[in-house]
Amino acid sequence: MLKVGIVGVGSMGTQHFLRLMTRINNATVTAVSDINAAHAKDVITPYKNVRFIADPISLINDSEVDAVVIVSADKTHEEFCLEALRLKKFVFCEKPLSASSEGAKKVVDAEIAGGKRLIQLGFNRRFDPAYQELKEIVVTGKIGQPLVAHCAHRNATYPAPSDDVVAITGTAIHEIDTMSWLVGDYFTKAQVIFPKTTKYSQNSNLHDPQIVLLTTSSGMVITAEIWVNCQYAYDIRCEVLCEDGTATLPRHARVNVCTKNSSSIGMTSDGLAFFEDSYNAEFQAWADACNNNTYCAAAASAWDGYCAAVTTDSCLKSQKTGAIESVPLTDRPAFYRD
Ligand code: ISE
């Protein structure tokens, strides 16, 4: 039984806590930490064997914690990953790996220096069956080489505080990792374009929607629309244009209801519910890998987190310059090749 410590039980951390306690086999949570002690204690109250440890570094060091789940504020991920690596403990870290590409590089270097792959990054879509099918079609070349992909990432509303930085490092980062994984290539160029902003943008520092344009090393172009206050629902779209056809992510797994002169399909605004199966699958894969003292090759690694951070840095630069910015990435080191 894998004994897990969770750093951060905000909305997503609480979901991961409940997931590990009720839906994941051969893993249990032994301790949690959170800056909001009262809330954390409420979360664990029904579970008598879970301790609250105020200091996250003490939690990571605790002898009853074999492996660490990091779901705290983005800016803290790097420090907690480095501490877990120092102790040679397995880590599941929510994205981003670090708030900067320099920080992400430090984590990658520390993992390589330790000689063992210990970090799994929470890019959950790699475990989504629809995305997996899309990838299979694209990488096997069944409908020719991919040329262009159009993606959309829409949140009904965005939790405050939100701004242009978070739209890239919190939201566009999913498209960045997913598309790089899906086409098996990394990005060389990035640009961000600001169309007219919706009246629902919560502050003057958030252009909404934004269009992210990415070019891969093979010359494929990806357009990613990031619209975090679309109002109507959580909506994720992806269409890949290949030489002999197109492949599109299914948009609905729900029943289509027809009544007089109308046809409708329900949607949800809850992104966690939308991708629930993929979250369960990625956590089960992580727990299984930890219990087998190895890493899950299907999951995102620290290197993938570094690549995403370098790409988001270029997007942030382009938000300021309006120009096409280069993405200074190199080939995957042997340590991260499966
Ligand atoms: C959030 O952090 C996520 O990971 C969600 O998947 C994404 O839709 C949302 O925009 C992010 O804020």
Side-chain angles (χ1 to χ4, degrees):
M1 179 69 75
L2 184 73
K3 290 182 274 183
V4 179
I6 303 187
V7 184
V9 281
S11 57
M12 184 167 236
T14 299
Q15 291 301 315
H16 289 341
F17 169 73
L18 295 173
R19 188 183 323 286
L20 282 158
M21 292 311 266
T22 61
R23 296 190 281 282
I24 303 303
N25 297 321
N26 304 318
T28 191
V29 180
T30 50
V32 304
S33 180
D34 196 279
I35 45 168
N36 185 341
H39 167 71
K41 286 176 186 168
D42 280 352
V43 171
I44 63 176
T45 299
Y47 301 91
K48 297 297 163 225
N49 296 326
V50 185
R51 283 176 303 141
F52 172 73
I53 301 177
D55 173 29
I57 297 292
S58 304
L59 175 138
I60 297 169
N61 279 267
D62 195 88
S63 60
E64 284 299 296
V65 169
D66 304 328
V68 185
V69 171
I70 300 170
V71 208
S72 46
D74 293 358
K75 63 178 189 299
T76 64
H77 293 185
E78 176 189 332
E79 180 195 353
F80 299 151
C81 279
L82 289 172
E83 181 64 4
L85 287 179
R86 192 181 71 76
L87 297 162
K88 300 209 175 308
K89 292 194 179 184
F90 284 106
V91 178
F92 178 100
C93 180
E94 266 305 337
K95 51 83 192 167
L97 179 58
S98 163
S100 70
S101 55
E102 293 79 20
K105 183 71 173 33
K106 274 191 210 155
V107 178
V108 162
D109 289 346
E111 190 173 46
I112 294 174
K116 185 174 179 182
R117 298 242 318 242
L118 291 167
I119 296 180
Q120 177 170 324
L121 212 63
F123 283 123
N124 60 294
R125 292 189 195 172
R126 292 176 179 226
F127 291 85
D128 178 78
Y131 268 115
Q132 288 171 344
E133 192 181 339
L134 194 57
K135 177 177 168 65
E136 165 78 12
I137 291 165
V138 172
V139 298
T140 54
K142 271 184 197 151
I143 55 170
Q145 289 304 303
L147 309 170
V148 172
H150 298 298
C151 312
H153 187 143
R154 300 180 188 160
N155 293 93
T157 54
Y158 214 48
S162 54
D163 58 20
D164 284 343
V165 174
V166 183
I168 298 296
T169 60
T171 301
I173 197 168
H174 277 294
E175 307 313 309
I176 288 167
D177 178 70
T178 304
M179 295 316 294
S180 165
W181 162 79
L182 202 145
V183 302
D185 202 353
Y186 57 86
F187 303 113
T188 53
K189 286 186 257 177
Q191 186 181 20
V192 179
I193 294 169
F194 295 143
K196 188 175 171 185
T197 286
T198 170
K199 65 180 178 186
Y200 296 109
S201 171
Q202 297 100 332
N203 69 53
S204 54
N205 296 326
L206 176 65
H207 291 82
D208 191 28
Q210 310 191 9
I211 310 295
V212 177
L213 297 172
L214 300 162
T215 305
T216 69
S217 78
S218 78
M220 190 185 168
V221 170
I222 287 140
T223 70
E225 170 215 299
I226 308 301
W227 187 12
V228 297
N229 289 286
C230 80
Q231 304 298 300
Y232 68 89
Y234 191 76
D235 197 2
I236 302 295
R237 303 181 185 199
C238 182
E239 179 181 24
V240 187
L241 282 53
C242 301
E243 289 165 312
D244 296 310
T246 75
T248 307
L249 202 65
R251 288 195 46 222
H252 301 284
R254 298 219 175 166
V255 171
N256 185 354
V257 178
C258 294
T259 54
K260 191 166 187 216
N261 295 331
S262 97
S263 160
S264 66
I265 301 173
M267 297 183 82
T268 179
S269 292
D270 182 349
L272 280 165
F274 186 98
F275 278 121
E276 169 72 13
D277 292 347
S278 68
Y279 287 115
N280 291 338
E282 70 170 348
F283 267 90
Q284 191 60 64
W286 177 68
D288 291 347
C290 296
N291 281 323
N292 290 324
N293 194 24
T294 185
Y295 64 91
C296 171
S301 63
W303 177 258
D304 297 309
Y306 166 69
C307 292
V310 172
T311 310
T312 56
D313 273 2
S314 302
C315 291
L316 295 177
K317 200 168 168 198
S318 177
Q319 281 181 331
K320 293 203 170 71
T321 62
I324 299 171
E325 298 293 343
S326 65
V327 181
L329 277 172
T330 51
D331 281 333
R332 184 174 292 270
F335 187 74
Y336 290 106
R337 277 186 221 137
D338 296 311

